[in-house]
Amino acid sequence: MNDQLTKRFDKLDEEQLPIANNQLHGGKHFAGLYAGEHVAATEFVIGATFVVLGASTRDILFGLLIGNILAVLSWTFLTAPIAVQTRLSLYTYLNKIAGSTMTKLYNWANVIIFTVISAAMITVSSSAVRFFFNIPAQLDWYSTNLWFILIVVGVGIVVVLVAIYGFNTVADFSSICAPWLFALFVAGALALLPALSHSVLGTTTISSWKEFLQIGDQSIWKGVPNTGDAGIGLWEVIGFAWAANTITHVGLIDMAILRYAKKASYGLYSSFGMLFGHYIAWIAAGIMGAGAGVLLGQPVVELDPGDVAYYALGASGFVIVIVAGWTTANANLYRAGLAAQAIFYHHSRRRTTLVVGIFTVIIACFPFVFTKMLPMLTYAGLIVVPVGAIVFAEHFIFPKIGLTRYWGYYKKLVTSRPAVFSWGAGLVLGFGLNALQIMSFYYLFIPTWIFTLILYTFLARRYGAAEDYTHEKAEEVQLQADIVAYQEEKAKRKVPRQKDTSMFSRLLAYASVACLLVILALSVNVMLASPDMEIYNVNKAMFHQYGFYCTIGYFVFAYWNLQRKKTLNKAI
């Protein structure tokens, strides 16, 4: 390898370089990644929120399907092409086209967004722990119980410490959670459908699709909230399902994930998170919330995730809320810490994560962070959507209209005024439209994105994007060629990862899958083999008991297998 290239690139952080070809992944990797990322504790909150907001059954079934398909298409046609063509994260790309000032502002936005999401997940986990201390559900914007605050602080301390010292262990643990979370969401819904059926039809058995729709209309998604006002309709349901993850697709944060994809079409693998995750999990969470309300004789609005999970899944419900909230909180707190460290680069990631974690725990003491999760996710997306529009314009629009991509980088701008002003103007427009209530806030990201794209293109032309950069472009081409040569030579010395193909590893995998199948089988037995409430209660108790045993078994087998694979690669 050329010594000059080695010295030049070895001193750079890998984040500053495009992903090397030997680090790319196939479709299976992204299917698992998106399934794990989008079956989480937030699904309990969002699924029940649709019930509270008064959506109808048909609007939920069709609206969520359409909205989640639109989200998949956004990943496929917006995020993935830019990620695959540049092999850069959004942070690196943004710094290249807009300068360090814009990047610093963007990192501040991410610190705030991920801190609030992490705080909400800590509160969700605490809603399960409170059961052990007989503390009532906390549903006001502030906590009404000192002991609950102490629980939040205790859970928060664990989350912060793990994010600082043991994030890799949690990330490994999170990777095996997705199949179990999905199985328990489905199982919990199946186990509570007989109770809902009995409350509507007078019988615990559901014999047709028509009866399911009747149960949905009368006891789950009634079309009107408990206040008696008009409920949200089809367009609102579609809008939220599409807008819920604008921060990652239209906002382009998932460039960090999809830069590892071999093809841009791998954006379609986000469907494993949207359809198997959001679509099914939100519907299942709605059923569980309504079912728990029937068993307790309370409306869903008076229940928290701990209530819902316990009455649907028994002891496994405690585990699913704690684990799902914990792993989601850790991932988002880690992101917030990284964003803060990028701002305060003289301090270590551990120190910035600790400081951010303190603020996270304080926010988590106020339960509004999870009760208002649905609008908060929409507003978070609205904050970063203008940035996505700026990057999209620079990458796709500029070359087609005679402007130069990376013009700010070629001019060595520290602050790109067109980028900063366009982002600010986009925020004013988006939140201004919301204040005027001109349109549903679920769709505010669309005019905001279009407006920012047009404004940035206009301003960039005025500030230098139309100038001639022939010399700088030639240097950029040579730079990318040097990077490829450096990475190819470096890849030759890297030992490839080994797969554990032993019989014992396969047996562990089969055992973990068998545990999930037993959980699902027990829930199907509750739904189909409960002719009356007496037998239903017996079957449900059996499901709760043996389902918990299978939950323990699943994690033992799956984590054991995961550790074996890690040990194999460490030994190479």
Side-chain angles (χ1 to χ4, degrees):
M1 187 189 296
N2 186 304
D3 289 339
Q4 288 184 334
L5 288 181
T6 303
K7 291 179 181 178
R8 182 181 180 186
F9 296 123
D10 271 353
K11 64 183 180 181
L12 295 178
D13 190 314
E14 284 192 359
E15 282 295 313
Q16 296 176 268
L17 299 175
I19 296 301
N21 288 332
N22 67 305
Q23 294 180 299
L24 303 183
H25 296 290
K28 183 180 178 181
H29 171 82
F30 296 97
L33 203 62
Y34 275 103
E37 179 78 14
H38 297 284
V39 184
T42 49
E43 289 20 290
F44 273 109
V45 181
I46 294 171
T49 300
F50 283 120
V51 177
V52 174
L53 291 177
S56 71
T57 304
R58 287 168 179 78
D59 287 346
I60 285 293
L61 297 177
F62 293 108
L64 290 184
L65 179 62
I66 296 169
N68 281 301
I69 288 174
L70 289 171
V72 170
L73 295 177
S74 298
W75 265 294
T76 305
F77 294 109
L78 294 180
T79 318
I82 301 177
V84 169
Q85 290 172 27
T86 64
R87 300 293 179 198
L88 297 172
S89 69
L90 175 63
Y91 302 101
T92 305
Y93 192 96
L94 186 62
N95 189 65
K96 189 170 185 177
I97 69 170
S100 58
T101 301
M102 176 75 171
T103 306
K104 185 175 289 188
L105 290 171
Y106 186 72
N107 281 324
W108 269 115
N110 279 310
V111 169
I112 295 169
I113 290 169
F114 291 127
T115 295
V116 172
I117 294 175
S118 183
M121 295 304 97
I122 291 173
T123 310
V124 167
S125 288
S126 301
S127 73
V129 178
R130 71 168 179 81
F131 262 91
F132 298 108
F133 301 93
N134 199 30
I135 296 171
Q138 302 295 297
L139 300 171
D140 293 322
W141 71 270
Y142 59 92
S143 177
T144 57
N145 190 290
L146 177 62
W147 289 105
F148 181 79
I149 294 176
L150 295 177
I151 289 173
V152 170
V153 172
V155 172
I157 289 173
V158 173
V159 168
V160 173
L161 290 176
V162 172
I164 293 173
Y165 296 106
F167 178 75
N168 288 335
T169 301
V170 177
D172 290 338
F173 183 70
S174 299
S175 69
I176 64 175
C177 285
W180 171 76
L181 285 168
F182 179 75
L184 259 68
F185 268 103
V186 173
L190 293 177
L192 288 187
L193 273 174
L196 288 167
S197 176
H198 186 266
S199 71
V200 175
L201 305 176
T203 175
T204 53
T205 58
I206 303 173
S207 58
S208 67
W209 177 251
K210 183 179 179 181
E211 288 185 349
F212 172 77
L213 293 178
Q214 183 181 351
I215 292 169
D217 289 337
Q218 294 185 28
S219 65
I220 309 173
W221 305 286
K222 302 176 183 179
V224 290
N226 289 332
T227 58
D229 300 326
I232 61 173
L234 177 66
W235 288 107
E236 285 80 10
V237 174
I238 292 173
F240 175 75
W242 188 10
N245 285 101
T246 46
I247 187 174
T248 53
H249 51 70
V250 179
L252 300 182
I253 281 183
D254 269 6
M255 282 176 62
I257 293 174
L258 291 167
R259 60 183 167 155
Y260 290 93
K262 292 180 178 179
K263 303 175 184 177
S265 59
Y266 284 8
L268 290 170
Y269 283 99
S270 60
S271 59
F272 283 84
M274 294 300 98
L275 301 182
F276 293 103
H278 283 185
Y279 183 68
I280 293 177
W282 287 348
I283 291 173
I287 293 172
M288 284 191 281
V294 166
L295 293 175
L296 290 169
Q298 294 177 267
V300 178
V301 71
E302 296 180 9
L303 306 178
D304 67 9
D307 292 315
V308 174
Y310 175 72
Y311 287 98
L313 299 161
S316 295
F318 288 134
V319 180
I320 193 173
V321 173
I322 293 172
V323 168
W326 177 45
T327 54
T328 308
N330 267 285
N332 284 290
L333 182 56
Y334 182 76
R335 289 167 177 159
L338 282 177
Q341 199 266 334
I343 300 168
F344 303 101
Y345 51 86
H346 293 301
H347 298 280
S348 68
R349 182 194 63 82
R350 288 184 174 180
R351 178 172 293 184
T352 57
T353 303
L354 175 61
V355 174
V356 170
I358 292 171
F359 284 100
T360 300
V361 174
I362 293 172
I363 296 170
C365 293
F366 296 87
F368 79 90
V369 290
F370 86 83
T371 58
K372 302 298 182 183
M373 176 61 68
L374 191 146
M376 280 199 303
L377 286 175
T378 305
Y379 290 134
L382 189 60
I383 291 173
V384 301
V385 157
V387 176
I390 290 167
V391 172
F392 183 87
E394 181 102 15
H395 193 80
F396 284 120
I397 305 299
F398 281 20
K400 296 181 184 300
I401 61 175
L403 302 184
T404 301
R405 185 191 296 168
Y406 308 143
W407 67 277
Y409 169 67
Y410 296 150
K411 290 176 78 72
K412 296 180 172 56
L413 295 179
V414 175
T415 302
S416 171
R417 291 182 180 179
V420 173
F421 184 81
S422 298
W423 187 16
L427 294 179
V428 170
L429 175 72
F431 287 98
L433 290 174
N434 180 63
L436 296 173
Q437 297 184 343
I438 292 175
M439 61 187 298
S440 170
F441 78 98
Y442 299 118
Y443 291 98
L444 290 174
F445 73 94
I446 297 176
T448 301
W449 188 86
I450 295 172
F451 170 78
T452 306
L453 183 147
I454 295 172
L455 180 61
Y456 176 67
T457 302
F458 171 76
L459 292 177
R461 181 186 291 274
R462 294 285 301 273
Y463 275 81
E467 296 175 11
D468 183 21
Y469 297 95
T470 303
H471 177 69
E472 289 84 354
K473 287 160 73 174
E475 288 182 340
E476 177 69 11
V477 170
Q478 183 59 51
L479 172 64
Q480 295 305 318
D482 289 345
I483 290 173
V484 170
Y486 163 78
Q487 291 177 331
E488 287 178 349
E489 187 63 33
K490 188 177 179 181
K492 293 177 182 178
R493 300 180 301 172
K494 190 171 183 179
V495 179
R497 292 178 62 87
Q498 300 294 313
K499 292 184 178 181
D500 186 356
T501 57
S502 65
M503 177 59 73
F504 186 62
S505 179
R506 288 200 294 269
L507 287 175
L508 288 175
Y510 294 149
S512 60
V513 171
C515 289
L516 298 184
L517 292 176
V518 171
I519 290 173
L520 290 171
L522 288 168
S523 66
V524 170
N525 179 67
V526 175
M527 181 179 176
L528 300 180
S530 302
D532 55 51
M533 286 301 292
E534 183 178 352
I535 298 177
Y536 166 71
N537 287 326
V538 172
N539 287 340
K540 185 159 72 73
M542 184 171 65
F543 163 62
H544 286 177
Q545 180 181 354
Y546 292 104
F548 181 61
Y549 296 157
C550 288
T551 285
I552 296 173
Y554 171 79
F555 281 112
V556 169
F557 295 132
Y559 196 69
W560 189 357
N561 199 19
L562 178 66
Q563 292 302 111
R564 278 177 53 84
K565 293 176 181 177
K566 288 182 64 178
T567 303
L568 174 66
N569 280 284
K570 282 182 180 178
I572 297 174

